Amino acid sequence: MRLIGLLLLVCLINSSLSFEYFKEKPSYIKSCKIYEPEFTKCSTESIQRFLEEVFTGKVPEVTEVVGKFDPLHLDELNFKQDNNDAASLRAKLTDLQISGLSRFQITESRVSKKDFSWLTKLVLPKFKIQGHYKMDGRVLLLPLKGEGQMVIDIDTMNVTMRTKTRLIEKGGFTFYNVTDLKVDVDAQKMTSQFDNLFGSNNEEISRSTNESFNKNWRDFVEALRPLITDTVNKVMFTLLSKVFLIYPASFFVEDIPTPQKLYGKE
């Protein structure tokens, strides 16, 4: 009996780890038809409801595959900027915690009838990046070289996201395979804190520099825009490329064609 119980336990563990994708549409997904009027309105409502469910950790199957969404952990992000009047900068960010994703608001979700790529507009009321930085360069005419902890807080960040997809077939279902993603960001307010900007012997200069960054935050946003954009881009690509391989595309776009019908025989 003990052996049988052990075998059953092994089977249960294996079955819990073998989740690949949903084969039945969950109740929190609203299906839309792309060839019917007001598809964009329907799609916007559908994606808002869906991501609210997923990004707040209410779907254990998704958490098992993707991990925790908010806060989201990134091991490393390297950044280089040489062609901007506001900044010439090299930075390495590690052990990053990205928070605020679960508070998003989708304002528009469009799907192309030609290639089924997406144009998505959303607002993040609060977005925070915190972790360890190593920086060398110039920002707003100030020479910078430092290493330490950093926090960037953004209020009301508007994000426009252009996502390229390739339809694929799996188990008789059509899926979105996210192949590329580009974002544009626009922050309404930003505050930041970079510890140890000029080394441990220059705390007063570091403090006054941080104050200057926050006083002139609009200029500082422009200086750091590529870094913020790269961060959001990496986060969203990582999440969406995984999430949409476990939900058939037909759950969202009811009349989506099969890959064979869209691309022909390849």
Side-chain angles (χ1 to χ4, degrees):
M1 290 296 292
R2 184 174 298 176
L3 178 59
I4 293 174
L6 181 60
L7 289 173
L8 287 172
L9 179 61
V10 171
C11 289
L12 286 172
I13 293 173
N14 287 337
S15 64
S16 66
L17 295 176
S18 62
F19 178 80
E20 292 185 76
Y21 56 86
F22 288 90
K23 298 177 176 63
E24 294 185 3
K25 184 172 76 72
S27 60
Y28 51 82
I29 297 179
K30 177 181 179 180
S31 297
C32 305
K33 292 186 177 181
I34 197 168
Y35 296 106
E36 289 191 353
E38 297 196 357
F39 167 78
T40 298
K41 179 181 178 181
C42 178
S43 178
T44 301
E45 294 172 355
S46 174
I47 296 301
Q48 175 70 35
R49 185 194 303 178
F50 167 69
L51 292 181
E52 276 180 0
E53 196 80 11
V54 169
F55 277 24
T56 52
K58 296 178 182 177
V59 187
E61 294 91 342
V62 175
T63 304
E64 177 188 319
V65 173
V66 181
K68 191 175 182 180
F69 286 89
D70 197 359
L72 181 75
H73 181 79
L74 286 182
D75 290 328
E76 183 176 315
L77 184 67
N78 292 293
F79 172 76
K80 179 181 178 182
Q81 179 175 308
D82 292 324
N83 59 351
N84 189 308
D85 292 337
S88 177
L89 195 64
R90 295 188 181 196
K92 180 178 181 180
L93 311 182
T94 54
D95 195 23
L96 295 175
Q97 295 288 333
I98 315 295
S99 56
L101 292 174
S102 61
R103 301 177 63 183
F104 70 95
Q105 177 67 47
I106 302 290
T107 58
E108 186 176 354
S109 172
R110 292 185 176 273
V111 180
S112 167
K113 294 184 179 71
K114 180 180 179 181
D115 62 1
F116 290 87
S117 59
W118 314 331
L119 172 65
T120 311
K121 296 182 180 180
L122 59 103
V123 178
L124 292 169
K126 297 285 185 181
F127 187 74
K128 176 182 283 189
I129 307 170
Q130 55 187 336
H132 187 271
Y133 82 93
K134 186 174 183 180
M135 184 186 299
D136 186 7
R138 169 188 56 81
V139 176
L140 304 182
L141 302 179
L142 295 171
L144 297 180
K145 186 170 185 178
E147 181 175 0
Q149 293 301 116
M150 61 152 228
V151 179
I152 298 174
D153 273 303
I154 300 174
D155 291 344
T156 314
M157 184 166 69
N158 298 300
V159 180
T160 299
M161 186 166 59
R162 295 171 176 84
T163 310
K164 292 293 184 182
T165 67
R166 180 80 178 176
L167 300 188
I168 61 172
E169 187 273 336
K170 184 166 57 173
F173 292 96
T174 296
F175 287 82
Y176 287 120
N177 181 32
V178 176
T179 58
D180 191 33
L181 187 147
K182 292 289 185 293
V183 301
D184 295 317
V185 300
D186 178 37
Q188 300 300 307
K189 175 70 175 177
M190 186 180 84
T191 58
S192 62
Q193 173 66 36
F194 291 84
D195 294 343
N196 202 37
L197 264 176
F198 298 92
S200 57
N201 296 323
N202 296 282
E203 292 183 6
E204 181 60 29
I205 299 176
S206 178
R207 182 189 62 78
S208 62
T209 301
N210 277 295
E211 288 179 355
S212 177
F213 286 162
N214 290 322
K215 182 179 179 180
N216 301 286
W217 68 268
R218 288 183 179 85
D219 294 329
F220 196 37
V221 165
E222 287 305 311
L224 293 188
R225 181 183 296 277
L227 187 150
I228 297 168
T229 300
D230 285 355
T231 302
V232 177
N233 210 87
K234 184 172 183 178
V235 166
M236 296 308 294
F237 182 83
T238 299
L239 295 179
L240 297 183
S241 61
K242 293 179 179 179
V243 166
F244 282 96
L245 286 178
I246 60 178
Y247 287 93
S250 57
F251 288 180
F252 305 94
V253 182
E254 195 173 323
D255 51 352
I256 197 168
T258 64
Q260 292 78 13
K261 286 184 178 179
L262 185 61
Y263 308 123
K265 292 184 178 181
E266 298 182 349

